[in-house]
Amino acid sequence: MKVLVIGGGAREHALCRSLSLDPEVTALHCAPGNAGIAEVAELHGVNALDGAAVAELAAGLQADLVIVGPEAPLVAGVADAVRDRGIPVFGPSAQAAELEGSKAFAKDVMAAAAVPTARSYVCTTREEIDEALDAFGAPYVVKDDGLAAGKGVVVTDDVEAARAHALACDRVVIEEFLDGPEVSLFAVTDGVTVVPLQPAQDFKRAHDGDQGPNTGGMGAYSPLPWADPKLVDEVMATVLQPTVDELRRRGTPFSGLLYAGLAITSRGVRVIEFNARFGDPETQVVLARLKTPLAGLLHAAATGTLATLPPLRWSDGAAVTVVIASHNYPDTPRTGDPIDGLDDVAEQDGPKAYVLHAGTKRDESGAVLSAGGRVLSVTATGSDLTTARQRAYRAVGRISLDGSQHRTDIAAKVADADADADADADAGAQGS
């Protein structure tokens, strides 16, 4: 199978890494890619938002499968352009991708499908904004209706900050605050059949202790030992399948990756948001645990044959990802700084720990430089979360990037709780 991946972040590097390990993949291409992806795929300098150019590249490569990674190309109709050339593509149409492209549209779909979510108002005027903020009170949850690269949401107790964010958006969704831990659950779908992946949890705030501004995500882990074992089945029945069925009923079937951001509230599971693609950094940990070859799974979704696949296979272990971000992220990041230590991680920690590139490039001498806000995703696996976390942070410690920042508490609480539970179990066994 010849595969072309569209995008250039850590999500796409995670996809390319998994595809490069798939024996069914005979040729792997990526456009535009990054310095890390270049080690496993042939790069092409094509604009990811140009559907015609992407389709032409896919046809020229005689690609058997095109995977569109980021949300912006999906909303721009890149998957449609590829599909129109008769090439199997993993990614929804522009119409179906509005599930992420417009939060108001997503709320409308959820209402029609009876999917549990937060009560909300769609606002376009100052008067509507003030009424909605008054109706819900603090904490205020204000979401830009359109795409905002994971940074369009403000959750604050400061009504003036909430109002300022709302006024800066053309159209805004203001909703009630949902209590409880958050979970990300991905599902692969061909528009009819829905196949859930393993849940993960990401860390949105920039600083330790969930402090600081929202970001695109500073780390993630999987599995979730604290989650109800029936969670995936419940979300399938109440969220994922009804949403896919509703979009098909509307004549805009959703084929690709449906991402449900969930809150496990005191009143049950509620949808925070939908995304129309693999999430970053959750993809890094989910794919690290997936044992089923990736290309066949995504090709089945692209060709409407998911129902024929056997159940997915997963490792029993755990995975942790820690994001290394550039100076000043998530505000205007500093770029062009050299990155050292990548070879050390590969030599001393691989394959249990490895580095996925997000915002990187090579200069004329071949040195790897920072080229974005989130620069690297350091990912590690282990028999449990404690081991995976230790490996991830040991690898992080080998990397040098001037002015960089990362959280030191990714998966810390759950790893500690997991270790305490194991210790209690050992003590109980000894006592018996």
Side-chain angles (χ1 to χ4, degrees), residues 71-72 74-77 80 92-109 145-147 171 247 250 252 254 258 274-276:
E71 61 273 23
L74 291 169
V75 172
D80 302 87
S93 66
Q95 284 185 302
E98 280 298 290
L99 201 62
E100 177 171 3
S102 168
K103 292 176 178 60
F105 175 76
K107 288 290 187 180
D108 184 66
V109 170
D145 179 57
L147 295 180
R171 185 161 74 155
L247 286 168
R250 292 178 178 220
T252 56
F254 188 105
L258 179 58
F274 282 127
N275 290 332

Side-chain angles (χ1 to χ4, degrees), residues 179-198:
D179 65 316
E182 295 184 14
V183 173
S184 300
L185 183 60
F186 302 162
V188 173
T189 178
D190 56 13
V192 178
T193 301
V194 182
V195 177
L197 305 186
Q198 288 288 302

Side-chain angles (χ1 to χ4, degrees), residues 69-405:
E71 61 273 23
L74 291 169
V75 172
V78 169
D80 302 87
V82 176
R83 219 174 256 118
D84 288 345
R85 295 291 288 268
I87 301 169
V89 58
F90 183 80
S93 66
Q95 284 185 302
E98 280 298 290
L99 201 62
E100 177 171 3
S102 168
K103 292 176 178 60
F105 175 76
K107 288 290 187 180
D108 184 66
V109 170
M110 283 187 272
V115 169
T117 187
R119 294 179 297 121
S120 63
Y121 294 101
V122 179
C123 307
T124 57
T125 68
R126 177 183 288 270
E127 291 73 20
E128 290 173 343
I129 289 168
D130 287 341
E131 288 178 9
L133 293 173
D134 289 343
F136 289 130
Y140 303 99
V141 181
V142 184
K143 300 180 176 181
D144 190 337
D145 179 57
L147 295 180
K151 298 184 284 291
V153 179
V154 166
V155 181
T156 179
D157 289 323
D158 183 343
V159 68
E160 293 304 324
R163 182 178 291 110
H165 181 64
L167 291 171
C169 304
D170 291 332
R171 185 161 74 155
V172 68
V173 174
I174 297 175
E175 63 184 34
E176 66 175 328
F177 177 77
L178 296 175
D179 65 316
E182 295 184 14
V183 173
S184 300
L185 183 60
F186 302 162
V188 173
T189 178
D190 56 13
V192 178
T193 301
V194 182
V195 177
L197 305 186
Q198 288 288 302
Q201 185 174 63
D202 77 331
F203 294 73
K204 288 292 188 188
R205 299 286 186 170
H207 308 309
D208 286 2
D210 292 327
Q211 301 298 307
N214 265 348
T215 71
M218 296 298 291
Y221 70 91
S222 178
L224 312 182
W226 50 267
D228 188 328
K230 298 178 181 178
L231 174 64
V232 173
D233 290 340
E234 178 185 350
V235 175
M236 270 289 293
T238 63
V239 175
L240 298 171
Q241 192 70 56
T243 300
V244 170
D245 291 346
E246 172 62 19
L247 286 168
R248 189 175 67 253
R249 186 192 69 78
R250 292 178 178 220
T252 56
F254 188 105
S255 171
L257 195 289
L258 179 58
Y259 166 141
L262 309 165
I264 313 301
T265 77
S266 55
R267 295 171 292 146
V269 175
R270 298 289 186 272
V271 174
I272 301 171
E273 64 176 355
F274 282 127
N275 290 332
R277 39 72 193 181
F278 280 103
D280 183 345
E282 301 98 317
T283 299
Q284 289 86 303
V285 292
V286 172
L287 293 186
R289 298 186 56 228
L290 179 65
K291 296 177 70 175
T292 297
L294 183 62
L297 171 63
L298 303 190
H299 188 267
T303 56
T305 58
L306 264 183
T308 66
L309 286 190
L312 299 184
R313 295 180 294 113
W314 297 91
S315 77
D316 292 329
V320 172
T321 285
V322 180
V323 171
I324 297 177
S326 58
H327 176 73
N328 205 40
Y329 178 78
D331 293 325
T332 304
R334 191 176 80 201
T335 60
D337 290 311
I339 304 168
D340 295 317
L342 298 176
D343 290 341
D344 292 340
V345 174
E347 293 169 4
Q348 301 185 50
D349 301 305
K352 298 297 185 181
Y354 49 89
V355 180
L356 299 168
H357 292 229
T360 65
K361 65 179 181 181
R362 287 191 184 274
D363 66 12
E364 294 177 356
S365 70
V368 179
L369 308 179
S370 62
R374 290 186 295 175
V375 181
L376 304 169
S377 285
V378 181
T379 302
T381 57
S383 58
D384 52 34
L385 283 167
T386 299
T387 303
R389 184 174 186 277
Q390 289 171 345
R391 286 174 175 165
Y393 277 104
R394 185 162 57 238
V396 167
R398 301 191 199 280
I399 295 171
S400 174
L401 172 60
D402 186 47
S404 67
Q405 56 178 312

